[in-house]
Amino acid sequence: MRNLSSPATGRCSPPRRRRSNWRRAIVRGLGAENRVDVAVCPPFPYLSQIAEALHGSPVGLGAQNLYPEKEGAFTGEVSPTMLLDVGCRYVILGHSERRHKLGESDAFINQKVRAALAAGLQVIFCVGETLQEREANRTEAILESQLVHGLGALKGDQLGGLVIAYEPVWAIGTGRNATPEQAQEAHAHIRRRIARSFGEERADALPIQYGGSVKAENAGALMACPDVDGALVGGASLQADQFLAIVRAALTPKV
């Protein structure tokens, strides 16, 4: 079984009281569980607060973005070293909302990936196609382009600091998710492309998550697929019972 990884990204934050209850429920629900890697990636303002609440637990802390410079006059940006200072181990890069709503290019995302890995952060690198691209049968071409350009200049030994998240844009926050067959097809293509660039051994060891309206109800079927190694969870991560159910689904052995 590959190393399963289930980071969660909260796209908004509940009121303070709910955040406190959520943190306690997650930490208590996981206990000393260490068979699956679990991380939460809240918005920047809550990183220190969440880090304190997670201290001593097996839950890792991640951020939703970074700026690819260690230091300098970049007012309003957050550097990799700042994330390390507040206890982050992970960072999400290339998320579809940053690509499509904020106009981040593959080249800029590549700068971020290389800066994050150089700083020692574990990168959750997102790729995925829009509905129009899928309907035009361009899914594999889009994934290939995002992988080639987003991971450009990386060396094979750097893949140990990488997790890939396949997130079909048409399934994010829509309540519509890829079928297990569609997810497996995309994940297998990603793994084949990584194998061509970095070798089959590294490709086989690389965790590839599915992200896109992941819920407790569909997590088990998705993660039962041979090449689906975990989940990048959005809205369901704000509900402790839903999130813990998704983590439990990741613990079910693949047939």
Side-chain angles (χ1 to χ4, degrees):
M1 181 188 297
R2 297 188 186 92
N3 179 39
L4 297 177
S5 184
S6 301
T9 170
R11 294 192 188 130
C12 58
S13 182
R16 181 181 296 272
R17 191 169 184 179
R18 278 186 55 202
R19 286 202 301 273
S20 178
N21 293 339
W22 179 89
R23 292 194 298 270
R24 284 198 296 269
I26 294 296
V27 171
R28 196 163 44 232
L30 287 173
E33 178 59 63
N34 60 7
R35 290 172 295 167
V36 59
D37 294 327
V38 179
V40 293
C41 302
F44 289 139
Y46 307 115
L47 284 172
S48 294
Q49 187 181 113
I50 299 291
E52 289 179 14
L54 298 179
H55 182 70
S57 82
V59 183
L61 181 69
Q64 297 180 6
N65 188 37
L66 60 69
Y67 190 77
E69 294 289 346
K70 291 182 181 179
E71 57 186 19
F74 304 104
T75 301
E77 297 295 343
V78 177
S79 72
T81 49
M82 289 177 181
L83 297 183
L84 292 169
D85 284 346
V86 295
C88 286
R89 288 163 43 198
Y90 300 87
V91 63
I92 298 171
L93 300 175
H95 195 281
S96 64
E97 289 158 5
R98 299 205 64 87
R99 290 178 185 272
H100 298 288
K101 293 184 179 180
L102 299 173
E104 291 191 1
S105 67
D106 286 325
F108 187 46
I109 293 166
N110 178 249
Q111 290 180 43
K112 293 185 176 189
V113 169
R114 289 186 285 117
L117 291 173
L121 288 162
Q122 181 102 5
V123 172
I124 302 165
F125 174 65
C126 301
V127 296
E129 81 285 6
T130 65
L131 180 60
Q132 291 79 8
E133 289 163 344
R134 172 164 281 272
E135 290 179 340
N137 295 316
R138 297 191 63 228
T139 295
E140 292 190 356
I142 294 299
L143 296 179
E144 181 127 354
S145 176
Q146 291 173 346
L147 290 166
V148 169
H149 295 101
L151 302 180
L154 262 61
K155 297 179 180 177
D157 58 1
Q158 291 179 290
L159 257 64
L162 188 72
V163 174
I164 292 180
Y166 168 62
E167 45 159 20
V169 181
W170 46 273
I172 299 171
T174 64
R176 173 182 180 181
N177 62 287
T179 64
E181 293 76 18
Q182 289 171 322
Q184 169 57 26
E185 187 177 74
H187 283 227
H189 175 70
I190 291 168
R191 205 175 299 281
R192 287 193 299 270
R193 187 62 190 80
I194 294 295
R196 290 205 301 274
S197 296
F198 300 99
E200 289 190 11
E201 185 175 347
R202 288 194 170 102
D204 191 56
L206 178 67
I208 306 177
Q209 304 173 330
Y210 172 78
S213 296
V214 179
K215 303 181 288 291
E217 294 79 12
N218 60 30
L222 288 163
M223 285 188 276
C225 298
D227 286 294
V228 178
D229 302 318
L232 184 67
V233 188
S237 70
L238 299 179
Q239 303 171 51
D241 57 341
Q242 281 271 321
F243 185 53
L244 288 168
I246 293 167
V247 173
R248 286 192 289 273
L251 291 167
T252 303
K254 295 181 187 289
V255 178

